Amino acid sequence: MSDDELDELRQKKREQLESKLRGDGSGAVEEVESTPSEPIHVNGAEELNEAVSKYDVVLADFYADWCGPCKMLEPTVEQLAENTDAAMVKVDVDANQQLAAQYQVRGVPTMVLFADGEVAEQIVGVRGYDDLKGLIDSHLG
C-alpha cells in the first residue's frame, strides 16, 4: 500500500471517529461516507470485502500490468471514480490470483460490479465510460 493510500485511509478513519464522537452519524458512519474520488488498490480478499461492505456500489477492475486493454481502461476507471457515487477498486490479478479465481476472472480486463454487497454484474473487456456509468447508475439507490 502506498503512502498516499495509507494517508487516505487514516483520514477516512479519523473522519469516522470524529463523526462517532460528535454523535451525528448515529453509528451508521458507512451510510454517510462519500466514495473516494480515485480508485482504491486492494490486495487480497479482506481488503476487497471491506470496500464492498463499506460502499453501496463498488466496481472492481481486475487488471494486469502487462495487459494493453487494461491500460486503455485505466483513465475510464479514474473518471468513474471522480464522477460517480460508486467506489472504484483495482485488483492486480498477478498479485491476487486466488481472488481472481474466486470471482471466475479468466481474462483481463474483467470488471465485477457489486451492489449492496452482492455481485450484480460481470463485464469482460474494455467498455466505454458511458456504458459503465450507465451500469453503475442503474444500481445506485
Side-chain angles (χ1 to χ4, degrees):
M1 196 176 252
S2 75
D3 288 348
D4 288 349
E5 288 169 305
L6 279 172
D7 289 344
E8 189 177 324
L9 198 60
R10 287 185 184 115
Q11 179 63 30
K12 283 187 183 131
K13 291 292 180 196
R14 195 172 11 261
E15 288 169 5
Q16 285 179 344
L17 288 170
E18 287 171 1
S19 177
K20 278 185 182 172
L21 288 171
R22 285 193 306 267
D24 61 2
S26 68
V29 178
E30 289 80 12
E31 299 301 311
V32 295
E33 189 163 337
S34 64
T35 56
S37 61
E38 46 188 56
I40 306 164
H41 289 263
V42 300
N43 196 14
E46 194 174 308
E47 288 183 23
L48 178 61
N49 292 340
E50 199 175 293
V52 168
S53 64
K54 187 176 201 171
Y55 304 109
D56 291 339
V57 177
V58 175
L59 183 64
D61 175 17
F62 288 83
Y63 75 98
D65 289 333
W66 46 261
C67 162
C70 298
K71 289 184 172 122
M72 287 171 41
L73 189 62
E74 198 162 334
T76 303
V77 171
E78 289 170 1
Q79 249 188 316
L80 289 165
E82 277 182 48
N83 300 320
T84 68
D85 288 332
M88 299 297 126
V89 171
K90 306 267 299 166
V91 182
D92 182 341
V93 295
D94 291 329
N96 294 280
Q97 292 178 7
Q98 282 185 314
L99 190 57
Q102 181 182 337
Y103 289 98
Q104 286 125 23
V105 175
R106 291 184 176 81
V108 286
T110 293
M111 287 166 285
V112 178
L113 183 74
F114 296 88
D116 300 320
E118 300 291 322
V119 174
E121 306 269 349
Q122 185 168 4
I123 306 114
V124 179
V126 177
R127 297 286 170 90
Y129 175 82
D130 292 336
D131 281 355
L132 293 171
K133 185 170 183 336
L135 189 66
I136 288 166
D137 289 347
S138 73
H139 289 280
L140 286 170

